[in-house]
Amino acid sequence: MRNYASFRGRTSRGDYWRFILVYIGIAMIALVVDAALGTGNKDGGLFIGLVHLGHLIPQIAAGVRRMHDTDHSGWWLLLSPVALVFACFAGTPGPNRFGSPPAAGAVPASIGAAPAGPVPAHPIGQPQRDVIAEIERLAKLRAGGSLSEAEFEVMKAQALSQARGA
């Protein structure tokens, strides 16, 4: 839901299906609440209607980004069976016309991991603009949805500590 209204970029297959699974879970809970409170009928109910309405734009946006990951236009969503097949395919490896591959839903292994070998020392007086460029790169990844706010903060702190020689 981080990019709930973003129709640009790409969404990985795993992230897309996790979104759908959570949506189905919420819809099931809404159905139970409708049945328990008597707000439902054979055509639906108050709570399931609110869930569908609240998730309409996020579902479309996630579907469009999933189509982009398979290097197809979001307009393929209009042909639901075809879009479902495309959503099951693996994404295009590497960049495609819709951008870079999406980052995995999990925190990257490099965050919080100890370096495998000796860390090369940075020369004394390393230009401050390298750190600024790295933070700007991370900010672009965060703005594009590839990094969460927490991931951005951790990676920014790492860049700053490396610049200080810590």
Side-chain angles (χ1 to χ4, degrees):
M1 291 293 283
R2 271 187 293 196
N3 300 323
Y4 74 94
S6 173
F7 294 86
R8 296 188 187 281
R10 297 166 59 174
T11 295
S12 70
R13 182 172 39 178
D15 285 345
Y16 175 75
W17 288 110
R18 278 188 290 276
F19 170 79
I20 295 298
L21 191 62
V22 169
Y23 169 71
I24 289 172
I26 293 169
M28 294 297 210
I29 292 169
L31 286 171
V32 170
V33 170
D34 276 333
L37 297 178
T39 57
N41 59 36
K42 66 180 178 75
D43 296 325
L46 173 67
F47 292 100
I48 191 66
L50 291 173
V51 168
H52 288 318
L53 185 63
H55 283 86
L56 180 64
I57 299 297
Q59 276 185 331
I60 295 170
V64 166
R65 289 192 314 270
R66 183 69 200 120
M67 293 299 102
H68 289 175
D69 192 41
T70 60
D71 203 19
H72 293 91
S73 168
W75 290 105
W76 280 101
L77 284 178
L78 296 175
L79 299 173
S80 297
V82 176
L84 181 62
V85 170
F86 287 156
C88 294
F89 288 159
T92 307
N96 66 19
R97 62 188 168 138
F98 298 104
S100 299
V107 175
S110 62
I111 296 179
V119 177
H122 294 289
I124 307 275
Q126 177 185 12
Q128 187 176 8
R129 72 183 89 147
D130 289 346
V131 176
I132 293 171
E134 175 65 10
I135 292 173
E136 287 174 348
R137 184 185 71 81
L138 293 172
K140 286 180 185 176
L141 289 172
R142 179 187 61 188
S146 296
L147 290 177
S148 69
E149 185 66 32
E151 293 167 339
F152 169 76
E153 291 299 328
V154 169
M155 295 176 92
K156 180 176 81 170
Q158 285 178 343
L160 290 171
S161 69
Q162 285 177 355
R164 285 187 220 115

